[in-house]
Amino acid sequence: MSWLSTGYAQELVEDVIVSDPTVRLFDPEFDQAGDRFTWIAQDGRVFIGYVDRATGNFVPPNGAAVLVGEGALTVPNEVGNGPEWVFEKEYGPQIVYTVATATSGRVLARARKEGEVWVSSVLPFGNNRFAPIGSLDRGDSVPRISYLQRTTQQATTDILTKWRNLDDSGSEGLVPGDDVQGLRWVEGRRALTYSAVVDGVRQAFLYDVDTKVREQLTFDNGPKESIFMWQAPEYAEEYLFFTLINESSLGVYRKVNGAWSKVYSVKPPSKGKFIQSPEFLKHNGKSYLFMVTSDNPLSTNKDLPSDIWLSGIDPAAPNFRQCSDPSEKVRKDPEVYVTDLGPFLYYAAKPEGGSFPLIYRCDTGLGPKQ
């Protein structure tokens, strides 16, 4: 593997199709420990598919190994987010998603395994709520979800951003801020990161759902989006966060002398000058950021080609890798799954001559777990 600081001298990589070319499999979300993923078919059925850890291939390729629910709203035509995992101590990993009913509009729903059978149901007091995101702390006795709520059934009404303990509708609370977007749960904490507008500029925030304390994380110039906070192994599990700035670079922040400071700016040497859908992964004691790069800042763009990139976070040793191959594709929404060969990134792209996107994978080049 070649890591780059400037230039493009790396070995040839290859995009590999892992989903059935006849199936519109979109937005898979992985459960690493279970070697599986969940997704919603175009007819609203919610499935679990499996991943062969030795090869990284989907089993079966159509992703329809286990049916866990029906009547879900599809992505991206009907709701902006597909099914998500939420981890819970008693029942294990569960799946949360959005359904629609004739009387209640969009409704929060979940599927969980009871004995040997997956059972789906709507969540109590989940009416007019949609697009849930689950907390991912394994063994959590009180898991949480965040979601959106319409104030009425009308499409033009306000959208509220809320959270609750999964099995306690009475715990529901409003996430504070002006034009809150992009909620993400923080690993190991009952807290959310998100962006909100302050004095006309979108900034990064951290909100503790128990203490109700909101902390503004950034104050510098440039709109912030896509905030992720994690425990960095190379910093003795200290919390770091990154955020997308000006839609074109990733700022990595660390708390220095009690104040959050930007310690590294990530800007891959890519053809595309904008960054979309950034996330992080941890592997062999180090943290990495992966992302889509494009000449269009909008992740909804379906025309301009885009690439998949990986970056380290060490400012003393900048390194980048283009994980996707040189072919021109419109690549979207990368997710990570760690195989026996190392971390692979999975993303949607339409093949040449194809009528809809398929799921591809590429090798990060980070190698097997040590």
Side-chain angles (χ1 to χ4, degrees):
M1 179 191 74
S2 297
W3 283 93
L4 314 177
S5 56
T6 59
Y8 274 79
Q10 69 178 54
E11 80 261 17
L12 181 66
V13 293
E14 182 182 7
D15 294 340
V16 178
I17 296 174
V18 294
S19 65
D20 186 334
T22 67
V23 174
R24 194 185 292 264
L25 198 164
F26 191 75
D27 194 25
E29 293 290 339
F30 292 89
D31 170 24
Q32 176 70 47
D35 297 318
R36 56 189 175 178
F37 60 92
T38 183
W39 63 287
I40 294 175
Q42 291 301 296
D43 61 4
R45 290 182 295 169
V46 184
F47 286 106
I48 288 176
Y50 292 96
V51 190
D52 182 343
R53 190 180 286 253
T55 64
N57 293 334
F58 283 2
V59 182
N62 68 5
V66 182
L67 176 65
V68 300
E70 297 182 271
L73 294 179
T74 59
V75 184
N77 295 330
E78 296 176 308
V79 70
N81 197 53
E84 297 278 352
W85 295 97
V86 55
F87 296 155
E88 197 261 347
K89 182 177 182 179
E90 181 179 359
Y91 288 95
Q94 302 178 43
I95 299 167
V96 288
Y97 53 98
T98 309
V99 298
T101 66
T103 58
S104 303
R106 296 177 177 183
V107 182
L108 298 175
R110 64 111 166 263
R112 67 185 183 189
K113 196 171 185 180
E114 299 181 9
E116 297 301 315
V117 179
W118 281 87
V119 177
S120 61
S121 61
V122 297
L123 291 178
F125 299 98
N127 296 353
N128 290 329
R129 292 159 173 83
F130 59 99
I133 300 288
S135 57
L136 299 177
D137 296 324
R138 291 186 177 273
D140 193 345
S141 59
V142 189
R144 291 137 278 133
I145 56 173
S146 64
Y147 47 88
L148 305 177
Q149 180 190 11
R150 289 191 186 279
T151 54
T152 75
Q153 293 277 15
Q154 301 301 317
T156 56
T157 54
D158 291 337
I159 302 294
L160 303 178
T161 307
K162 292 190 170 184
W163 78 277
R164 63 181 266 190
N165 294 326
L166 178 63
D167 292 307
D168 179 12
S169 61
S171 64
E172 182 179 74
L174 181 69
V175 178
D178 183 8
D179 193 12
V180 170
Q181 294 181 9
L183 275 72
R184 293 285 176 177
W185 292 102
V186 179
E187 62 176 346
R189 297 183 62 175
R190 288 177 55 84
L192 290 156
T193 55
Y194 57 92
S195 68
V197 176
V198 180
D199 296 329
V201 179
R202 184 164 292 280
Q203 299 287 4
F205 285 86
L206 175 70
Y207 178 63
D208 187 302
V209 297
D210 293 329
T211 65
K212 311 297 189 243
V213 172
R214 181 183 68 157
E215 178 185 2
Q216 185 171 337
L217 302 175
T218 61
F219 297 83
D220 45 342
N221 294 330
K224 316 300 189 302
E225 300 174 280
S226 301
I227 300 97
F228 286 80
M229 182 174 285
W230 77 101
Q231 292 176 277
E234 58 268 70
Y235 290 94
E237 301 301 309
E238 182 181 328
Y239 279 101
L240 271 62
F241 75 88
F242 80 79
T243 180
L244 177 60
I245 305 174
N246 283 321
E247 301 177 314
S248 59
S249 68
L250 299 175
V252 179
Y253 291 73
R254 183 186 182 195
K255 187 164 280 190
V256 179
N257 297 324
W260 290 103
S261 303
K262 185 164 65 174
V263 295
Y264 188 35
S265 183
V266 173
K267 179 70 174 176
S270 56
K271 292 181 291 184
K273 61 182 179 180
F274 295 107
I275 293 174
Q276 305 167 0
S277 305
E279 294 194 32
F280 73 92
L281 68 90
K282 298 189 288 187
H283 187 64
N284 289 336
K286 292 186 177 181
S287 305
Y288 301 90
L289 310 184
F290 60 91
M291 68 211 78
V292 175
T293 61
S294 172
D295 273 330
N296 191 305
L298 301 177
S299 60
T300 54
N301 170 68
K302 297 180 180 179
D303 301 315
L304 292 181
S306 51
D307 300 306
I308 308 295
W309 279 81
L310 183 77
S311 170
I313 66 165
D314 184 356
N319 47 52
F320 301 94
R321 177 180 172 84
Q322 182 176 328
C323 298
S324 54
D325 67 26
S327 65
E328 290 196 347
K329 298 186 184 75
V330 182
R331 300 171 173 90
K332 298 291 182 184
D333 194 27
E335 301 284 349
V336 65
Y337 169 80
V338 183
T339 73
D340 290 341
L341 303 173
F344 285 0
L345 298 180
Y346 294 76
Y347 45 91
K350 186 185 294 185
E352 185 175 357
S355 58
F356 54 81
L358 304 177
I359 302 299
Y360 287 78
R361 63 168 169 80
C362 63
D363 191 347
T364 62
L366 297 177
K369 184 178 180 180
Q370 298 176 0

